Amino acid sequence: MKTSFNILIAGVGGQGNLVCGRVLAEAAILEDRRPVLGDTFGASRRGGSVLTHLRVADEDMGPLIPKGHADLVVGMEPVEGLRSTLNYASPGTKVVVSTMPVYSPATRSGQYQYPEVSRITSALRDLCEVVYAVDPKPTLDRIGTYKVLNVFILGVLSGSGVVPFSREAIQSSIEKTVGLETSNQLAFTSGIEEGMRLRSL
Amino acid sequence: MNDEDSYLLMSGNEAIARGALEAGVGFCASYPGTPSTEIATELQKVAEEYGIYVEWSVNEKVALEAAAGASWAGIPALCPMKSLGLNVASDFLLNLNLSGSGPGGLVIVVCDDPRGHSSSNEQDSRFYAKASYLPLLEPSSSQEAKDLIGVAFDISQKQQIPVFVRSTTRLSHSSSIVEVSPIDRKPTTARQEIPDGLYNVPNPHLRHKELNETKSKVHSDFEDLSFNSLESTKASFLILASGVAFRYAKEAAQAIDSPHIDVAKLTSTHPIPQKTILKWLQGRKRVLFIEEVDPFIEEQVLSLYAELEVYETELGRIEFYGKQNGFVPAYGELNTDIVLGALAKILRIDRDKLKVAEEKGINLARELLIPRPLTFCAGCTHRNIYWAIRKIRKRLKEGLVVAGDIGCYSLGVFYDGSMNTMQAMGSGIGTATGLGQLHRFGFEKKVIAVAGDSTFFHACIPALINARHKNANITFLILDNATTAMTGFQLHPGTDPGEKDLTQVSIERIVNAIGPDLFEAVDATDIDATTDTLHRIVQMKGLKVLLCKSICRLEEKKDRAKEPRVFIASEACHGEKCRICVSEFACPALEWDQSKGVARIIKHACIRCGTCIAVCPHAAIQKEGLD
């Protein structure tokens, strides 16, 4: 079954999850591969979990990654990153996870308590060998908008070398998909730096 | 959809739209519904450029009727809709199939939603192809989705009957590379004469006979359809798969690879190409069916196998596996893992070898997961309506039944069970007309029906007339945010059309013409006024209609960042012993500050509507610059 490179992007509606998948798929095309991009966005605008399956192969694959076969899990949100890792990862899967939580109605109501983020990252490290936990908050606060979270994460993916696409391909794909105006450019560059730093640790 | 590249990343829906353009579509009528919406949306974007007509019809039945009208006059017509939409259109469909769709060509694209990700059921709409004797094609990739639309138009134009193309959520909403062809636009001109005899009386049975004959012709054409394919014919084990599930089957077969398994892709799933399938079955000992939702191909192949002598064919004994004998789950959505599970069971392979070993940390990690239930957006006025309903429910000693409908406001079922029922479009007011008659049997509960504006036009008007005519004792709430919000803000008859050549239809005037006992409007952003008005009119006898002037905050044009900021005065907040704002009202812009034990506003989520101010019993929520 290992004929494709499988990336799972997990987040919450409004985080730019779908765009993130689109950018990586376009980058795959620039690298002469055949991407299949599966979105589950039925509830994306209403607080639900959003999953994007990206499979990069040389022929058309089914749009869903089989259990245990994700090569990379991108958690745009800590709990969602863990949820997808549990469902789709194996010990060899690499994980990039944002440590910035998005609370759910179930935690706001007091019915559930959002877990300590450090417990989530340590659970991820128990499950997978390579886990890059990244805190986007300082960068996003500096740029002044949370809307560029996805572009920042794309930078981290590129800088940490977990995706099989060149930086140039990702950059021109961002430019084509969402544009590279100042805040996106800043977010992407900061993400690359953060990714390189994590990789060198 | 630019034409510069010939290889494009396209979703199944974009590919369907592209296929229609390449096939020379001139007319498209649809009603929005996930996962089908983007087909008409894509065509609408290029309608002017290519001189085609695209409309959001009032419902799917009208869409299909409009598309048939175009096809009768020689204009190639496309009618995309979601699974449940076909139920609405089916009355017309089961007459149109007999009358014929004329020379233009009519392709119906139905997008099923296995597992019901965005639907209230997971119906398999392929049975409509069987019920209507019409041809059905199932693409397995975006490329095929594009190409098959052209094939479908060819068949429809040749046989003058509608042709179905069935997609599913995973095809419609996944993207892959499509090699596109140029769009050759010749001017489309309508014929002045429509075909004779576009009715089935007085001899519908003879039309039925003719349709059977047409079906046989289509059936023999399908024997040569290159989209039905089988790469190898050597293995004793065959998987027969259709649609996107073919991809799952192929991947699962590759993963097992022992013994060798062949995978056939059946694209024309109604009528099935019998000779082709009999050829595929030669030399097989085991056959597994992989198809989304119901055993549709399975039943047809089993019935074919049961009458081999008719086809003068001899096959050895074949064991069949599928949904009928429980080797494949008969509900829910398929994936590669499910196909692997079925193969493991049939081949008696130890499934653990296929599964990733369970790690020690897994159960521990599962405890960290929190659920993420769906909720209304920050500032959504639907929440206000249900808040009012919750309050009234507490006040009324005889109790309340809220019959709901389809739209964003369906989330009312998850909001403290504020909405009690939800079935089809328009069924809220329909079931309420029945409930509203039950006082004669001692039923004491007050009855409220809830519907949105687009749903009102789609399917509520006959039921509202029924309620009036029969004097049902109900309160009907119309949640009017002037858009089709759930599916992405499509225009409907009540929307202000702006510059477009459309005429706005007034809900008020329709309701007034029906003549309820009481008809009022209320500003749904004013939660106190909404609660008081609703409480007052629910207790009155007769048919009462309340038009709730609502706002979709996702579509609102106003720059809300200029509004005064809403904040919580921590000293006034009663803390843990209250929590009404976060636990009960539960706007996603409100959260609990664990360290201080008070509520707080999430600045970047708050749209500054200030509705929560009225919800706080201690006046702790305030607006800047106001006292």
Side-chain angles (χ1 to χ4, degrees):
Chain A
M1 200 142 38
K2 273 277 86 115
T3 50
S4 56
F5 189 85
N6 299 322
I7 306 173
L8 193 71
I9 307 165
V12 179
Q15 288 193 307
N17 182 317
L18 304 182
V19 169
C20 199
R22 183 88 196 182
V23 167
L24 292 175
E26 295 282 357
I29 295 174
L30 292 173
E31 309 260 337
D32 287 326
R33 306 295 307 275
R34 280 187 87 89
V36 176
L37 184 66
D39 296 330
T40 58
F41 60 80
S44 63
R45 279 194 157 125
R46 287 152 196 97
S49 309
V50 181
L51 265 187
T52 301
H53 294 243
L54 174 62
R55 313 192 70 190
V56 181
D58 295 315
E59 59 169 331
D60 281 348
M61 308 288 293
L64 299 177
I65 300 170
K67 305 256 179 236
H69 286 266
D71 294 286
L72 171 66
V73 170
V74 182
M76 309 273 281
E77 199 281 340
V79 162
E80 295 314 313
L82 179 62
R83 201 191 306 279
S84 308
T85 302
L86 281 166
N87 288 335
Y88 294 96
S90 57
T93 305
K94 291 178 179 169
V95 178
V96 172
V97 65
S98 158
T99 57
M100 198 168 72
V102 175
Y103 299 110
S104 117
T107 57
R108 279 191 294 268
S109 68
Q111 197 188 351
Y112 286 81
Q113 185 141 12
Y114 196 96
E116 292 284 332
V117 174
S118 60
R119 289 182 65 202
I120 297 176
T121 49
S122 88
L124 285 170
R125 292 200 167 98
D126 285 345
L127 296 166
C128 300
E129 282 145 34
V130 179
V131 177
Y132 294 136
V134 53
D135 182 6
K137 197 166 183 306
T139 308
L140 301 183
D141 282 340
R142 184 160 49 85
I143 297 172
T145 170
Y146 283 35
K147 284 184 183 157
V148 295
L149 170 71
N150 55 357
V151 181
F152 173 77
I153 295 288
L154 283 165
V156 176
L157 300 182
S158 178
S160 60
V162 292
V163 281
F165 318 122
S166 68
R167 185 162 310 159
E168 293 71 32
I170 297 176
Q171 176 146 349
S172 56
S173 174
I174 294 174
E175 195 162 8
K176 181 181 168 188
T177 312
V178 286
L180 257 181
E181 76 339 324
T182 326
S183 55
N184 276 342
Q185 181 69 64
L186 254 170
F188 188 57
T189 317
S190 314
I192 290 171
E193 284 165 15
E194 183 63 17
M196 288 167 74
R197 189 187 68 78
L198 287 166
R199 193 186 189 179
S200 67
L201 288 179
Chain B
M1 280 195 211
N2 70 58
D3 257 318
E4 289 162 25
D5 306 319
S6 55
Y7 289 90
L8 299 171
L9 184 66
M10 283 187 163
S11 71
N13 282 349
E14 288 167 340
I16 287 165
R18 175 74 193 206
L21 285 172
E22 290 180 10
V25 71
F27 193 102
C28 172
S30 183
Y31 183 81
T34 313
S36 72
T37 311
E38 298 81 9
I39 301 169
T41 307
E42 285 299 312
L43 288 173
Q44 207 150 38
K45 286 183 196 162
V46 296
E48 209 169 316
E49 181 184 346
Y50 292 114
I52 56 179
Y53 174 81
V54 184
E55 72 167 41
W56 289 120
S57 308
V58 73
N59 65 33
E60 292 86 351
K61 178 166 178 276
V62 174
L64 185 57
E65 288 157 349
S71 178
W72 284 338
I75 310 290
L78 186 77
C79 187
M81 61 183 77
K82 75 175 290 172
S83 51
L84 292 128
L86 196 50
N87 303 339
V88 178
S90 62
D91 193 0
F92 178 65
L93 173 73
L94 293 178
N95 283 281
L96 178 67
N97 59 339
L98 299 177
S99 305
S101 51
L106 173 55
V107 175
I108 303 169
V109 179
V110 61
C111 298
D112 277 351
D113 189 13
R115 161 69 182 82
H117 295 282
S118 310
S119 309
S120 54
N121 75 9
E122 62 162 355
Q123 73 180 50
D124 188 327
S125 303
R126 294 179 296 174
F127 282 95
Y128 282 111
K130 199 172 176 185
S132 61
Y133 295 71
L134 294 175
L136 168 69
L137 300 166
E138 291 189 62
S140 74
S141 65
S142 291
Q143 180 73 57
E144 285 185 5
K146 180 192 81 73
D147 295 341
L148 285 172
I149 295 293
V151 173
F153 269 112
D154 286 345
I155 301 168
S156 178
Q157 284 156 356
K158 185 173 159 196
Q159 307 295 349
Q160 306 218 348
I161 50 173
V163 175
F164 281 108
V165 174
R166 184 220 197 191
S167 178
T168 53
T169 303
R170 298 298 178 189
L171 177 65
S172 282
H173 284 176
S174 71
S175 302
S176 54
I177 292 186
V178 177
E179 184 182 2
V180 299
S181 304
I183 299 168
D184 174 25
R185 294 308 295 189
K186 296 175 216 116
T188 314
T189 313
R191 301 184 181 202
Q192 294 309 315
E193 302 296 330
I194 61 169
D196 289 332
L198 288 173
Y199 43 82
N200 307 325
V201 289
N203 290 313
H205 64 300
L206 298 181
R207 286 296 176 93
H208 186 185
K209 178 172 172 277
E210 283 168 31
L211 184 58
N212 258 320
E213 288 156 11
T214 310
K215 188 181 151 196
S216 302
K217 285 184 214 152
V218 171
H219 161 235
S220 60
D221 285 353
F222 278 170
E223 299 289 1
D224 303 320
L225 188 72
S226 64
F227 292 88
N228 295 323
S229 69
L230 177 61
E231 282 162 19
S232 151
T233 54
K234 294 183 194 116
S236 63
F237 195 123
L238 176 74
I239 304 180
L240 240 172
S242 75
V244 82
F246 165 72
R247 306 280 157 196
Y248 308 144
K250 213 171 150 194
E251 189 168 359
Q254 280 166 2
I256 283 203
D257 203 33
S258 164
H260 185 69
I261 298 167
D262 287 337
V263 186
K265 180 180 68 188
L266 187 63
T267 301
S268 61
T269 54
H270 186 265
I272 57 166
Q274 291 155 335
K275 284 182 194 146
T276 304
I277 286 180
L278 289 172
K279 211 159 60 195
W280 288 353
L281 293 180
Q282 290 289 346
R284 311 291 180 177
K285 292 202 163 59
R286 293 191 269 208
V287 173
L288 169 64
F289 299 97
I290 295 296
E291 54 186 322
E292 286 288 17
V293 189
D294 285 331
F296 184 71
I297 301 170
E298 187 175 339
E299 283 179 0
Q300 292 184 78
V301 172
L302 289 181
S303 100
L304 178 68
Y305 186 69
E307 23 179 59
L308 289 175
E309 62 275 18
V310 177
Y311 303 93
E312 293 168 0
T313 301
E314 278 187 36
L315 292 171
R317 184 180 148 66
I318 301 175
E319 287 172 15
F320 291 96
Y321 303 93
K323 300 197 178 216
Q324 303 222 64
N325 53 10
F327 281 83
V328 180
Y331 66 93
E333 187 180 34
L334 297 175
N335 57 42
T336 303
D337 295 299
I338 290 175
V339 183
L340 273 172
L343 287 173
K345 205 165 157 187
I346 297 163
L347 300 170
R348 298 199 177 85
I349 299 173
D350 185 1
R351 257 222 95 178
D352 287 344
K353 282 186 190 159
L354 304 169
K355 260 167 70 179
V356 180
E358 294 268 312
E359 291 296 306
K360 60 174 167 38
I362 281 189
N363 287 335
L364 220 63
R366 287 211 184 276
E367 286 170 13
L368 297 176
L369 298 180
I370 48 158
R372 220 171 262 287
L374 301 184
T375 183
F376 300 110
C377 303
C380 176
T381 49
H382 296 336
R383 179 184 291 101
N384 303 355
I385 304 285
Y386 287 115
W387 181 255
I389 288 174
R390 281 167 80 162
K391 291 201 120 180
I392 291 158
R393 199 188 286 278
K394 283 178 195 153
R395 290 182 199 170
L396 291 172
K397 64 173 190 317
E398 62 271 49
L400 200 60
V401 179
V402 179
D405 229 296
I406 310 288
C408 289
Y409 51 91
S410 299
L411 291 177
V413 297
F414 305 127
Y415 194 67
D416 191 35
S418 300
M419 200 170 107
N420 303 111
T421 74
M422 195 246 289
Q423 283 77 27
M425 293 282 282
S427 293
I429 175 76
T431 53
T433 65
L435 290 163
Q437 295 293 351
L438 302 185
H439 48 86
R440 67 196 78 228
F441 301 111
F443 187 76
E444 288 175 354
K445 285 190 159 60
K446 302 289 184 200
V447 179
I448 293 182
V450 176
D453 42 348
S454 192
T455 304
F456 174 84
F457 287 108
H458 181 289
C460 292
I461 296 168
L464 184 57
I465 293 170
N466 193 51
R468 169 66 293 169
H469 184 227
K470 313 299 184 301
N471 299 321
N473 228 343
I474 60 175
T475 306
F476 181 34
L477 306 185
I478 305 169
L479 278 43
D480 181 13
N481 59 14
T483 188
T484 319
M486 190 78 187
T487 46
F489 322 117
Q490 291 76 23
L491 292 184
H492 65 64
T495 315
D496 177 358
E499 302 289 298
K500 295 189 176 70
D501 182 20
L502 297 165
T503 302
Q504 190 173 2
V505 179
S506 153
I507 295 177
E508 283 95 328
R509 288 173 65 186
I510 293 173
V511 174
N512 270 323
I514 293 171
D517 296 308
L518 178 138
F519 182 29
E520 285 188 24
V522 68
D523 174 3
T525 64
D526 186 339
I527 208 162
D528 284 337
T530 304
T531 311
D532 292 345
T533 308
L534 189 56
H535 188 221
R536 173 170 49 84
I537 69 174
V538 159
Q539 296 176 86
M540 296 163 68
K541 278 204 161 29
L543 172 63
K544 297 120 342 177
V545 179
L546 183 61
L547 185 64
C548 306
K549 300 275 188 186
S550 309
I551 299 173
C552 174
R553 302 296 186 181
L554 292 173
E555 208 211 8
E556 192 178 15
K557 305 284 189 294
K558 190 170 171 183
D559 181 6
R560 303 211 57 93
K562 291 188 178 130
E563 295 288 300
R565 203 167 60 84
V566 178
F567 67 100
I568 296 182
S570 309
E571 66 283 1
C573 176
H574 279 217
E576 283 294 343
K577 61 179 186 285
C578 172
R579 290 192 69 126
I580 286 176
C581 60
V582 288
S583 299
E584 294 179 28
F585 187 62
C587 174
L590 287 161
E591 68 181 350
W592 198 250
D593 184 335
Q594 293 288 356
S595 58
K596 292 185 190 146
V598 293
R600 72 173 167 218
I601 305 270
I602 307 170
K603 277 189 223 158
H604 70 267
C606 178
I607 60 131
R608 308 181 179 194
C609 67
T611 307
C612 54
I613 293 171
V615 169
C616 177
H618 310 294
I621 310 181
Q622 299 166 13
K623 229 175 199 187
E624 266 179 0
L626 303 172
D627 290 319

